[in-house]
């Protein structure tokens, strides 16, 4: 199990984003409260847009709390769109090619959760990937393969539709192999302009997912809160776990939902896999 | 803060020793119960004697729970004397040269605890090391420097006396720099034939230290316990934290003590630093 | 391009084998004479049998010349059958799961060379792997996939036949995709009792391959050579590059050959892929 | 032995600087022409100013040619002042704390060469460091200790004077220990505004050092050279080895020299250690 955050808004310093909050992602790497595992020490990654359209990636197999290069890089980098992920492996090797976020062109993708009995259904999932995309798969995780399935089904054109189809296909493959609850996921993906997040599990007991409240409303509530003053009105965070206890700051994204964040606008709709 | 175990007795397989106990050291790397930190993910090390007199070393900066080479090596190695240590850094860099156990000739040394305000007193500690030993210091930890001080004061000839003098010197240096409680330690050291362990802190609130009960008595108590049947009567473990809940298996080593384990014989005496 | 050695015979110390020869494998990692690349600094691995049937593995992404754990392990390990490999990546990621030798049960496999246009033909190669074996593939190299194809075609029962079929299949897949010279290889594989080595390339310009001369004859030639005196009469080395300039010590294995080493017996026969 | 480059001028993209030249520093990590070693695979580092005064650092123990994070970071970072260094260890451990450039406040320092018999004279060098600076030493190299000696002798106020004194002290310590030629060096240091480079060795056979020619003159010579057109008139490179064969592009810095680069102005004067 993993933890992740997706930020969009006015350019923020990555150190402010990743290290300074009360329960920052780097802190969560040692002490997650809501994760299935309390430790996320099996590598981490960040993806950030500083010269769009292509995002930069930093992947490491060290625990995030120990990585000096992450700290240095974070102190100097500013970005208006950041994905960050800390990993707790569910079995696959701890190596850079298994670190999230994954990248394809201008797209980023990260996943918390797992595909149950992945080793059983991995081959059929692999076969379902567009042969033109297949050579780009670098690692061995369920999460990356899920990304390439979503790309196969049109992620670049219609993300909610592509993810619904990919999940439908994975569930169908799982059922064929006798897997009762194939999918457990919160996923975030972006093309550098819009962020889509999904919360879903076949079992209907999905990993936690939260989004930040409207910054203007939050500022009114906490007029002396320093960090809030520095953020633009359209700043939005989508997170697997709140970054602090600030009252009124976080709203849970409901079970089986799609969340679309575009500028200040954040819309939640229901998510269901496309039957195959 | 760290966790460690020191085994002596009939040759054991390292995998049996490090992975199989209910609360094995590798498990403790993720979930320590008694440590000052619950996670010990900042590297680890093992030292073992398979072709005496010189012990082998394996040091890694990966969390122990992720290291495949440790697992492979453990499956194939047998030894009658093993030191193993998992590290939670108290500030110094996570690098192989900072991993315990440290080695000098046939000697091993490992430490749980810390020297308070180490950066303040490090220089004077460094100056106190025998100039002939100085070039051998490879890392930057308090623990390794403490080892070289103990060597300077005669560890090879009389370990309890040398450790008492080294601690006395460190406390004197600390006092000179206004450090109230310089020393916090459990230490184990061996020449390949005898193991000495020390529990002490200036503040008289030392880290936990346990030793295993006499194996014969324990066998009588648990006649069906598989692991126990495989051990020789003189097998002994000294550990910073019990490896399981087996009733009657563990005795606490008292505050301010020296424990000497030679074959089946284990003697506890009081420890006090030599005033300088 | 890579370098490898396969040893069989009386148990040798791994340090003697890997570090001490005039042009040892570890030295070759910095300065190979016959390789397509002079540097093999993209990780390494060793596989050795010390408690058969299952061999141990040590894989590292560090350059071999820097790895202290390899040196420590080598000093303490003895084995009558050792595979060692240093890697120069032809494009795939430098990670432990891409380090040779690869293992399946009691089998080891290592490869020097490459499958040309691998990214183009990887998918069809993947589909050709037995679905029961597919989940065991951990890395992303051509070499590991080639191993699983050989296993698919019966490596465990008849290695020369299985390798001939696997190469035939790879060449057929390559031709379908317009790849002129799909295969470039020297390969070694063992079940812990016999070693098979293959030298072949579609282009008929294969990487170098050598085997050691009969030890008894060599001893007569060099009666004062220390290392030779310690080896048993049936000791044999198969290497991608000679380990020194000792006159009479090395015989080249001819282009398009299979070499079978069983005890003191070493037989060379011609190798040709099974047409598909 | 190592290789390094120091750039100052209009902001350049780090990928353009580190990867694109014909004989870029990253290429030199595999195939140096003028170095004492052809391979510099024992880690690397870069320091760059993007939000002065404090420079950022990226240190890695991987060979530079393999580091994906370096490539990603380089693609996104621009800076008007960059230090980059690839390391070939002369004995000390390969670890991040031994990677150049070293940093103190706004200062960077990197070194090619070595202090002969370092282990013999290290203790006396250590004692000569200002006790207030001593706790900041993190690694175990001669190069970092040399940096802290230069800081002790006033690097921040008068770099040429401080380096001359530090070298004088090191030579005196060396002589006391019977070391014939203690110092071998090319060094670069900067406060973010001026770069000082030094070429010197006790033996008067110093490592190579070059500086780029005036860009305007070079442009006149090569009016169609693309890279040149992108650089400002005051762009300057100081390098241990030329980055390409462009005629007229490089001038050797003479034996026993100090080079000061401030904006477009580059002045060479003679260097000699201050006798102690």
């Amino acid at each position: 199990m993993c933890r992740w955050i997706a930020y969009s808004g006015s350019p923020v310093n990555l150190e402010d984003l990743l290290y300074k909050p009360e329960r920052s992602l780097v802190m969560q790497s040692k002490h997650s409260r809501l994760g299935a595992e309390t430790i996320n020490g099996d590598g981490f990654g960040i993806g950030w847009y500083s010269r769009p359209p292509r995002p930069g990636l930093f992947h490491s197999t060290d625990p995030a709390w120990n990585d000096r290069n992450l700290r240095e890089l974070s102190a100097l980098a500013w970005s208006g769109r950041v994905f960050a992920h800390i990993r707790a492996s569910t079995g696959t090797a701890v190596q850079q090619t298994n670190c999230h976020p994954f990248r394809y062109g201008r797209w980023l993708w990260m996943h918390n959760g797992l595909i149950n009995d992945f080793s059983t259904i991995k081959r059929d999932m692999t076969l379902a990937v567009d042969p033109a995309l297949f050579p780009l798969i670098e690692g061995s995780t369920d999460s990356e393969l899920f990304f390439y399935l979503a790309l196969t089904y049109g992620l670049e054109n219609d993300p909610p539709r592509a993810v619904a189809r990919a999940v439908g296909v994975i569930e169908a493959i799982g059922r064929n192999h006798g897997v009762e609850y194939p999918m457990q996921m919160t996923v975030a993906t972006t093309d550098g302009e819009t962020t889509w997040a999904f919360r879903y599990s076949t079992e209907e007991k999905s990993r936690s997912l939260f989004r930040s409240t409207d910054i203007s409303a939050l500022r009114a509530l906490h007029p002396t809160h320093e960090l809030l003053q520095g953020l633009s009105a359209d700043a939005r965070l989508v997170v697997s776990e709140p970054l602090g206890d600030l009252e009124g700051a976080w709203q849970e994204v409901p079970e089986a939902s799609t969340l679309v964040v575009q500028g200040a606008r954040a819309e939640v709709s229901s998510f269901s896999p496309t039957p195959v």
Side-chain angles (χ1 to χ4, degrees), chain A:
Chain A
M1 233 51 50
C2 315
R3 306 277 84 191
W4 56 255
I5 66 172
Y7 171 83
S8 56
S10 51
V12 286
N13 177 244
L14 268 59
E15 192 176 25
D16 287 346
L17 183 67
L18 299 174
Y19 289 85
K20 297 207 175 147
E22 185 190 343
R23 294 214 305 275
S24 74
L25 197 70
V26 171
M27 278 304 96
Q28 288 183 32
S29 67
K30 270 200 168 167
H31 303 286
S32 161
R33 292 194 191 174
L34 303 183
E37 276 275 3
T38 54
I39 309 169
N40 295 272
D42 302 336
F44 69 89
I46 56 173
W48 73 107
Y49 295 81
S50 79
R51 297 173 67 203
R54 185 178 164 86
L57 284 184
F58 184 88
H59 283 164
S60 169
T61 58
D62 293 327
W65 68 81
N66 271 337
D67 199 289
R68 293 184 176 202
N69 288 323
L70 176 64
R71 186 95 202 206
E72 291 285 327
L73 170 64
S74 297
L76 292 182
W78 294 68
S79 174
R81 191 167 298 271
V82 182
F83 272 33
H85 185 277
I86 51 177
R87 186 167 180 242
S89 169
T90 54
T92 45
V94 177
Q95 54 194 23
Q96 285 188 22
T97 55
N98 284 350
C99 291
H100 308 224
F102 302 100
R103 177 178 64 194
Y104 174 79
R106 60 195 284 178
W107 288 78
L108 292 176
W109 173 279
M110 56 188 176
H111 172 217
N112 172 27
L114 78 166
I115 295 174
N116 278 303
D117 282 315
F118 177 55
S119 71
T120 305
I121 68 177
K122 182 177 184 181
R123 187 171 185 272
D124 285 354
M125 280 178 65
T126 304
L127 299 194
V129 170
D130 181 343
L133 293 172
F134 176 85
L136 303 176
I137 300 171
E138 282 204 300
S140 55
T141 61
D142 49 357
S143 306
E144 186 192 21
L145 200 47
F146 180 16
F147 178 33
Y148 277 94
L149 271 183
L151 285 163
T152 297
Y153 294 118
L155 183 71
E156 294 168 284
N157 297 318
D158 186 341
R161 191 160 174 267
V163 172
R165 287 192 61 192
V167 175
V169 166
I170 291 167
E171 291 192 329
I173 293 172
R175 276 192 309 270
N176 289 345
H177 289 275
V179 181
E180 192 173 7
Y181 301 122
M183 179 54 80
Q184 172 60 262
M185 75 191 223
T186 66
V187 157
T189 188
T190 183
D191 61 355
E193 289 173 8
T194 302
T195 295
W196 293 264
F198 304 88
R199 184 183 183 199
Y200 174 77
S201 59
T202 319
E203 199 184 357
E204 299 178 18
K205 293 179 182 169
S206 303
R207 300 279 180 263
S208 62
L209 187 65
F210 294 84
R211 62 188 178 109
S212 61
T213 310
D214 181 274
I215 295 290
S216 313
L218 202 55
R219 260 194 215 127
L221 216 58
H222 303 276
T224 63
H225 192 280
E226 195 179 359
L227 197 63
L228 287 175
Q229 309 315 317
L231 293 175
S232 60
D234 65 349
R236 292 290 178 273
L237 275 161
V238 190
V239 299
S240 51
E241 185 169 312
L243 305 185
D245 291 325
L246 194 64
E247 204 186 329
W250 303 100
Q251 288 180 268
E252 190 165 12
V253 176
E255 180 71 50
S257 297
T258 300
L259 168 67
V260 187
V261 180
Q262 197 167 21
R265 201 160 47 83
E267 279 178 19
V268 175
S269 54
S270 72
F271 174 87
S272 62
T274 305
V276 176

